[in-house]
Amino acid sequence: MLKVYLFRLLFLALFLYQLPVQAQQKKAVELEDLFASNYFNPTGVYGIDWMQKGKYYTAMSSDDQSDRQLIKKYDITTGEEIAVLFDNTKIQGWVSSQPFVFSDYHLGPDQDNILLANELESIYRRSTKAYYYLYNIKTKEIKQIHEGDKISYATFSPDGKKIAYVRQNNMYYTLVDDIKEIAITDNGKFNHIINGSTDWVYEEEFSFAKAFFWSPDSEKIAFYTFNESEVKEYNMQVWGPLYPEDYKFKYPKAGEKNSLVAIRIFDLEHQETLDLKISDDHDIYIPRVFWTNDPSMLAVIKLNRLQNHLQLYHTNADNGDLKLVLEEKSETYVDIDYNDEYIYLENGKGFVTTNEQSGYKHLYHYDLDGNLITQITHGNWEVDDFYGIDQKRKIAYFTSTEESPLERHLYTIKLNGKNKTQLSKKNGNISANFSPDFSYYIASFTAVDEPMLVTLHKAPSGKQIKVLEDNARLKQRLANHTMGKKSFFSFDTEDGTSLGAFMIKPHNFDPSKKYPVIMYVYGGPGSQVVLNNWGGQRDMYHHYLTQHDFIVVGVDNRGTGGRGKAFKHKTYAQLGKYETMDQLSGARYLAGLPYVDEDKIGIWGWSYGGYMSSLAIFDGAEELAAAIAVAPVTNWRFYDTIYTERYLKTPQLNPDGYDAWSPITHAYKLEDDYLLIHGTGDDNVHFQNAVELQNALIAANKQFDSFFYPNRAHGISGGITRYHLYSMMTNFWLEKLKNN
C-alpha cells in the first residue's frame, strides 16, 4: 500500500513539474497561419435556405479533400440530415470532364428545382455574374439558363414557374418548363443604361446590386433603370505584360452629376412596361423599392440629394398612381441603413419600420396611411437588426444594444410593445436567420473567446435544438498558441466625453515593463471596432503583434455607432475633426499608463481608418511616433456622392468641411514615421488619393515611406498579397517602434 501511495505521489509531482514546461511549449502565432492558409479561420454553416414545404432547411456542404459538393436537407425539429438534394458527382446531362462546381444556390418555391451559380465572378463589392443552371431534384437533370455569356442574379418567381435575370445591362426572364430567353428591355449599354442592376455608387453605398423584384403573385417585375450617360468616368489603368489597358467606369464624385434613376414595372401577361413618375426633381435617390403584401401595391422610398428628407410612397402597380405615406426630416441626415426595414402586416394592418426620431433607432407601427399606431420599443439603446414579424403571434424579432454598445442580443416583443423577452443569454454578439414562418431560427454567436457558435433554436421560446457548429478544432488550435488577452475599458476625453476601447496585452504581460502601443482605428460614421466579438483575421494579426511585445488598442471615437444619434451625428459636416481629437486623446490617455512607453505609440487603419491614421500622425506629432495608412481617403472631394454628401453635404455648400480636415491640408505637419499603402486597381477609394497626398508631402519636403500594389482593389488581396502586406506592416512596426 505504501508503494502505491509513493508511486502516486511521485506521479503527481512529475505531473505538476511538467505543467509549466507544457505551457512553455505553446506555439507562437505565425503570420503564414493567418494569411497564407485558413488555419485560424472559423467554420460556419453556409448556404442556408429554408424550405417552404415542411419543417426543413438546406445547407451547402463540401469535401475539403475533393471537388465534391452537396446540398443537404435537414429536419428542423432535430437538426438531423435526412436527404441529399444535390450531389455534383451525380448529375444527368453534365458532359464536361471537369466536375460541376457551384458557389451559390437557391431552392425553388416548389422545392423541385435548384438554381446553381457556376464560375461566379465578382464585378465590384456586391455585383456578380455567373453561368446559372437549373437542376431538377427528381430527375437529376441539369440545364443552363442562358448559353453564352454570363448572367447576373437569376431569381425564381414566387410561384417557381419563372426565372428573371440580367444580362449585358438588360432584363430578361424565362419559363422554368421552357428555357427560352424573353427580353424585358433592349436599351442596356455599358456606361450608359443599366436595367435591373445598380450603378457603382448605389451598389457601394445603398448596399444592393440586384435591382429587380418579383411581385407576390409572380405577374409583374419592378426594376430600376439607371441612365448614367452624364456621369463622369474614372479611368483606372490595368497593368499588363506590355501596354496597360484603360478600364473606364462611371463614378460620381462628391458634387458631380449622379445617374438619372427610374422605377419601371413590367407586366408579364400584357408584355407592357409602366414607368413610374416618382419626382419632378431628378436629382434624387431611390434607395429602396419593395412589394407590399398586396401585389398591386409597390412601396418606393425617395431621398433628396442631401439625404436629410426621406419619403415613403405607395404606388399603384397598374396605373402608376403615387401616394405619400410617411416622411422623415433631419437637420443632419436620415441614415437609410437605419430606416430600410419595412415589414407589412397581413390584412392591411399597416407596417412596422425603424427610425431614429427618438434619438435612438427603434421600432414603430404605422397604419397604411402613415399614421402612428405604436412605438414598439423604447429606451436609450438602439435596435440593431430588425428580422421581421411572426404575423400569427404578432411578435417582432430584433437585436439591440440594450445590454451594452459592445454587444448585440436577440429579443422578441409584442407589436403592442409589451412582453419584451431576451432570447440570447451569453455575453457577446448574435445574429439570426429565421424560417419563413418564424417557428425556428439559426443563431450565429461570437465573443472574444468564441470564434463562431452556430445553433438551431425553436421560436419564440429560444430553446436550443442542436449545435450545428462549435469550432472545437479552432478553439483547440487557439488554446495551443500563445494568445494575448483582449479586454475592454473606457476613458474620458479632456472635454468629458466617455469613449469605449479595447486592449490586447501580450500573454506574458509584465506591468513593471514599458511597452510600445499600436492603436487600430476605423472611426467612420456608424462603425465600431470595440465589440465583444471574434475579430477575425485582423484581430488575429493584433494578437500576433502582441507576441512581439506590442500592446494593441482600439478606440471608438465620436461618430461611431451603438450609442445613439447624437453621438453618431456629432461629426456631421466636419468629418475628421472630432474623430482625430478623440484618437489623440486616447493616445494621451495611454501615454499616462505606467506600462506604456509614451514615446512609442503608433496608429494604423484601412480606408476610413487610413484617413484617420493619416490625420492623427499629421496632427499628433506630440502624441504619436508612427502611422500606417492603407487605402486612405485623403480628400473627400475624391470620394463618391452618396457616402460623402450624406455626412458633409456637397463641396459647393460646405467647401471648408472638405478641405479643413483633409490629410492633404495637414501633410506639411508630418514629423514622424509614416507608411502609405494603396492598390492601383482600387475602384472604391481611388489610387488618386495616394498620389495627391504624396504630392503634398513632397511639396512640403517631408520624408515618408510608400508602397503600391499593382491592380489590387480596395481589399488588397489575391494570392499571397495579404501575407506580403502584413509582413511589410510588421517590419515597419518593429523598425519604428521597437528597434529605434
Side-chain angles (χ1 to χ4, degrees), residues 311-444:
Q311 295 173 298
L312 169 66
Y313 289 92
H314 287 165
T315 306
N316 186 311
D318 296 318
N319 59 30
D321 288 346
L322 271 72
K323 177 184 177 182
L324 177 61
V325 176
L326 193 67
E327 57 184 331
E328 181 182 351
K329 295 181 180 180
S330 173
E331 293 182 358
T332 52
Y333 58 92
V334 179
D335 195 337
I336 189 61
D337 288 337
Y338 277 63
N339 298 269
D340 66 346
E341 301 105 342
Y342 292 77
I343 307 298
Y344 283 76
L345 303 177
E346 296 171 348
N347 303 318
K349 294 183 178 179
F351 59 92
V352 176
T353 187
T354 59
N355 65 53
E356 295 180 290
Q357 65 186 26
S358 70
Y360 294 85
K361 179 183 175 183
H362 281 295
L363 297 175
Y364 294 83
H365 180 194
Y366 296 91
D367 67 21
L368 289 179
D369 292 321
N371 300 307
L372 179 64
I373 297 174
T374 308
Q375 181 178 340
I376 301 172
T377 59
H378 303 77
N380 294 337
W381 46 268
E382 293 189 343
V383 169
D384 188 59
D385 277 327
F386 173 31
Y387 290 106
I389 296 169
D390 180 338
Q391 306 251 10
K392 182 178 179 181
R393 297 184 176 92
K394 296 182 174 59
I395 291 174
Y397 290 90
F398 64 95
T399 53
S400 84
T401 64
E402 184 172 0
E403 288 292 308
S404 166
L406 278 65
E407 301 190 346
R408 302 294 185 269
H409 287 276
L410 181 63
Y411 294 85
T412 178
I413 192 171
K414 289 283 190 180
L415 293 185
N416 60 11
K418 297 180 179 180
N419 299 333
K420 179 164 62 71
T421 304
Q422 183 176 332
L423 299 183
S424 55
K425 306 300 182 185
K426 298 173 64 176
N427 293 334
N429 282 261
I430 192 171
S431 61
N433 183 336
F434 283 84
S435 63
D437 63 358
F438 286 89
S439 294
Y440 298 88
Y441 64 92
I442 292 173
S444 297

Side-chain angles (χ1 to χ4, degrees), residues 4 20 48 85 90 104 137 147 156 159 230 252 276 283 288 319 325 400 415 538 672 680 685 689 728:
V4 173
I48 297 170
L85 300 184
K90 300 177 181 179
D104 194 16
I137 296 173
E147 295 183 3
F156 283 111
D159 63 10
E230 294 190 28
L276 302 184
D283 200 12
R288 298 289 182 265
N319 59 30
V325 176
S400 84
L415 293 185
R538 198 159 293 174
D672 302 294
T680 69
V685 180
N689 286 269
M728 176 173 56

